[in-house]
Amino acid sequence: MNTFNRFVVTILFILFSLQVFATRPYITKIERINTTTLRVNFDQPIKSHIGFLGLHIRGENNVFYTEANSTNVSRNILNYDTNALVRYLDWIEPALATMDTVVGLKTAKVRLTLSLITNGAEEIALIRFNAGIPFELCEPSCNSLNITSSSTHTLVASDTTATFSITENTNGLFSLSGTNNATLTFNGTNTDFESDTKSYTVKVKATTGDGENKNAEQTFTITLDDVLDTAPVINQFTISQGGNKGRLISKDGGDVTVHAMVGTGTYAWSSDDFSGVNSSNTSTSVTFAPSASVGTRAIKFQVTAGDYSSERILKLKLVDSYPNGRVDENGNGIADDKETGHNSNELLAGEGKKITSPASTRILLGIMGEDSGYLTLNQMKAYITENNLTNYNKDTLTTGDIYNYVIENLSATGVTTEVIIELTTAIPRYAELRRYSLATGHWTKSSDEDGNKIQSKQSNDCTDSSTWQTGLVVNATCLKLTIKDGGDNDADGNQNGVIESTIAIANPIIIDDDNNTDSVSSSGGGCVYNPNAPARFDMGFILLMVLSAYYLIRRKRRFVY
């Protein structure tokens, strides 16, 4: 067989493999990912034909916790999307709450009925898969604890008679005490909170008797918050100029007074923009004349208590004249007539939308925004141009919704806080959460480590009791971020009791091919095989037929000669 024939055979093999021999997807695992949600995993991407599945669940005690053996119940798939290829499906399972209360119950069996699209052909596929669901010794949230000092935690098993013991304690920092040894104590008084070691683990065993089904083990991780040991908190600033309040000030409005709400210490003000703000200002307030060029201007405030200090950069937006008729009574950067009824921990973020921080905190408009925490790309570009900042925003061509806000009044420096954002646009497939730094001018991927978390959910009310899911959920309209003061996602970069944040849900470029299958474009070569794409009578198939015919003709001529 000559080289050309080998080439033809290779092409035929590849084309037939892609179009004919795609394998049927199968379930690899069913797992419980939190207290209320189950997940079924597949060995390859699949398309769900309908937005629900049928199942029943039976415990190891032979009790059915959904319906009887012959009856399936329906559950809505959380990440259902008729166009999306997914490797797993999630659903809220109410039966789990009941099963958690059953003494001695540690696993259960699941049988699923799924309707799938396989290799392009629509079919109703009955998939039965029995898998044990492990029941945690406690709520999943107790597996990972963020602390700032020694801490205790009460262990709870599904069998209330269980006795606990430590099986791994590498650092020797954990101990058990109390009834059934159910109190887990972390002795962190001698650990260095500023050291490179941030996490410590312990493995705990729950026992109710002899035999494997009477024991369960779980590993707990303790994460030290990287804190400056009272470091003083700069709670908030109040700014006033005549009868106006907030960070918008004018050159013709008279003297400006800034007051810092802060604890006891020594204070220092400084500014490269306002000559009246200098080292002679040593109280919690400073007054100065706004004699500077228009644009964003900065004042630095520092407080020192003992051996520790905190500092914060206050950014003021200076204009020639204050807008006529504008009133911002609470000083959060949004005109009062645009945010009627909002609390100090709520910020307008587009029409009918808001950003909410914890009740004990105060949330303000970011310096780039204009009467809304929702920031348009044009507003952002205009701010960068007006302030002569370096523009590295080439990737903003693929950036979706942008949000810009500041959270004050944290309980301490270096702690974490949460913020809930009601999204203007639902989260698209393949989305990525990015953060922006005014200091560097760059967008980077938001961190989900070291105390930072990214969660989302599909809900009409972001404050309802439905479960938050880790990461960016397709079609979700609620976003919850856990942000650490001074951490990667805090744009001011300081542990000072305040968080600044500019984030965006990035939309990748999507190419809609002949299969109506979306794919993320990228530079470089290569190809992607979709095992669930429908077979097509197209140019590929025509090429296959032509090559096959040519190969057969050459073989026939060869035998004739």
Side-chain angles (χ1 to χ4, degrees):
M1 184 181 293
N2 58 29
T3 302
F4 181 77
N5 287 345
R6 292 192 183 97
F7 171 75
V8 172
V9 171
T10 301
I11 293 297
L12 291 174
F13 176 76
I14 293 173
L15 290 174
F16 273 119
S17 296
L18 293 180
Q19 304 248 357
V20 178
F21 298 114
T23 60
R24 175 189 180 93
Y26 63 89
I27 296 174
T28 58
K29 181 172 60 173
I30 297 178
E31 58 184 329
R32 182 181 188 182
I33 60 173
N34 57 44
T35 53
T36 61
T37 310
L38 287 181
R39 170 173 294 175
V40 54
N41 298 271
F42 299 90
D43 69 317
Q44 60 182 286
I46 60 99
K47 279 190 177 181
S48 176
H49 175 51
I50 52 177
F52 60 90
L53 51 78
L55 83 156
H56 59 226
I57 300 178
R58 181 178 64 184
E60 60 188 13
N61 53 5
N62 287 324
V63 174
F64 285 89
Y65 289 92
T66 49
E67 296 291 340
N69 185 31
S70 60
T71 306
N72 283 331
V73 298
S74 294
R75 297 285 185 251
N76 292 326
I77 299 174
L78 296 177
N79 56 331
Y80 167 64
D81 188 327
T82 56
N83 294 316
L85 289 169
V86 295
R87 282 189 173 271
Y88 62 86
L89 299 174
D90 296 340
W91 71 93
I92 301 298
E93 183 46 62
L96 295 178
T98 302
M99 299 170 75
D100 280 343
T101 64
V102 179
V103 175
L105 183 64
K106 296 183 177 64
T107 60
K109 300 293 184 180
V110 176
R111 191 174 75 186
L112 292 178
T113 302
L114 298 178
S115 177
L116 305 175
I117 291 179
T118 305
N119 299 332
E122 185 176 310
E123 64 180 37
I124 302 297
L126 179 64
I127 299 179
R128 287 190 175 92
F129 185 86
N130 290 333
I133 306 174
F135 285 77
E136 297 83 0
L137 301 183
C138 60
E139 296 287 325
S141 59
C142 79
N143 293 12
S144 181
L145 304 174
N146 286 78
I147 64 170
T148 57
S149 61
S150 297
S151 178
T152 61
H153 186 79
T154 302
L155 302 172
V156 180
S158 55
D159 188 338
T160 57
T161 65
T163 300
F164 300 95
S165 61
I166 293 177
T167 57
E168 288 185 15
N169 187 13
T170 305
N171 301 101
L173 296 175
F174 297 89
S175 61
L176 292 173
S177 61
T179 304
N180 293 338
N181 280 339
T183 301
L184 175 66
T185 300
F186 172 71
N187 182 16
T189 55
N190 296 321
T191 59
D192 183 0
F193 279 59
E194 302 299 321
S195 71
D196 292 334
T197 302
K198 301 298 180 187
S199 297
Y200 301 89
T201 60
V202 61
K203 184 178 288 187
V204 176
K205 182 178 182 179
T207 304
T208 58
D210 296 330
E212 290 297 323
N213 63 338
K214 299 295 184 180
N215 302 295
E217 285 189 328
Q218 184 165 313
T219 298
F220 296 86
T221 300
I222 300 294
T223 301
L224 301 181
D225 279 344
D226 186 11
V227 297
L228 298 175
D229 300 337
T230 75
V233 176
I234 304 173
N235 293 302
Q236 68 180 69
F237 291 116
T238 59
I239 304 108
S240 61
Q241 185 184 35
N244 299 321
K245 299 180 181 180
R247 291 182 298 173
L248 180 64
I249 60 175
S250 64
K251 296 182 69 172
D252 63 359
D255 286 351
V256 177
T257 298
V258 178
H259 175 71
M261 298 180 64
V262 65
T264 303
T266 58
Y267 316 108
W269 298 86
S270 62
S271 175
D272 293 331
D273 297 316
F274 302 110
S275 57
V277 182
N278 51 53
S279 58
S280 65
N281 308 118
T282 58
S283 70
T284 57
S285 298
V286 63
T287 300
F288 60 93
S291 55
S293 56
V294 297
T296 299
R297 300 292 168 248
I299 296 175
K300 183 168 75 172
F301 176 76
Q302 185 178 62
V303 56
T304 301
D307 296 330
Y308 304 101
S309 65
S310 298
E311 70 175 35
R312 179 178 173 188
I313 305 296
L314 171 63
K315 296 174 183 176
L316 300 172
K317 189 176 293 186
L318 179 62
V319 296
D320 286 320
S321 297
Y322 198 83
N324 189 28
R326 186 179 191 275
V327 178
D328 180 13
E329 185 63 32
N330 60 12
N332 70 349
I334 299 180
D336 291 351
D337 60 354
K338 296 185 181 297
E339 62 164 359
T340 304
H342 280 189
N343 298 316
S344 61
N345 68 320
E346 296 177 332
L347 188 72
L348 183 71
E351 186 175 356
K353 306 293 183 181
K354 62 184 177 182
I355 305 174
T356 306
S357 60
S360 59
T361 65
R362 178 175 183 241
I363 188 167
L364 314 174
L365 186 66
I367 195 61
M368 290 185 286
E370 297 180 7
D371 282 333
S372 175
Y374 178 84
L375 183 66
T376 68
L377 185 56
N378 286 335
Q379 288 173 340
M380 187 173 184
K381 288 181 177 179
Y383 179 88
I384 291 170
T385 301
E386 290 169 1
N387 291 278
N388 298 314
L389 300 176
T390 305
N391 187 0
Y392 296 105
N393 281 343
K394 294 180 180 179
D395 63 345
T396 54
L397 293 176
T398 61
T399 297
D401 292 349
I402 308 173
Y403 298 92
N404 185 214
Y405 55 89
V406 177
I407 302 175
E408 298 179 322
N409 278 0
L410 300 188
S411 60
T413 57
V415 299
T416 60
T417 192
E418 292 180 349
V419 60
I420 296 176
I421 303 175
E422 298 176 353
L423 300 176
T424 299
T425 306
I427 296 174
R429 279 166 288 163
Y430 314 115
E432 178 180 277
L433 189 70
R434 294 178 182 170
R435 65 180 188 267
Y436 181 75
S437 169
L438 276 172
T440 65
H442 284 288
W443 285 103
T444 54
K445 185 177 181 179
S446 292
S447 172
D448 57 358
E449 299 178 346
D450 192 27
N452 297 292
K453 295 180 183 179
I454 302 170
Q455 297 171 290
S456 56
K457 66 179 178 180
Q458 299 176 9
S459 176
N460 293 325
D461 180 5
C462 295
T463 62
D464 64 17
S465 59
S466 60
T467 302
W468 291 94
Q469 294 180 266
T470 300
L472 299 180
V473 177
V474 176
N475 292 329
T477 53
C478 300
L479 177 67
K480 182 166 77 170
L481 304 178
T482 303
I483 308 174
K484 184 176 181 179
D485 178 29
D488 291 339
N489 295 341
D490 181 6
D492 72 8
N494 295 313
Q495 292 188 354
N496 52 11
V498 62
I499 286 172
E500 296 184 14
S501 177
T502 303
I503 60 101
I505 304 225
N507 297 320
I509 299 174
I510 304 296
I511 298 175
D512 193 7
D513 61 18
D514 293 338
N515 295 328
N516 295 320
T517 300
D518 292 342
S519 59
V520 182
S521 69
S522 62
S523 59
C527 62
V528 178
Y529 165 51
N530 174 9
N532 296 296
R536 299 172 296 166
F537 191 80
D538 57 6
M539 290 304 296
F541 184 72
I542 293 173
L543 176 61
L544 184 151
M545 298 299 294
V546 170
L547 289 175
S548 299
Y550 183 74
Y551 177 69
L552 293 174
I553 291 171
R554 284 183 59 87
R555 285 183 57 86
K556 181 176 181 181
R557 291 179 61 189
R558 181 179 177 184
F559 284 117
V560 169
Y561 289 122

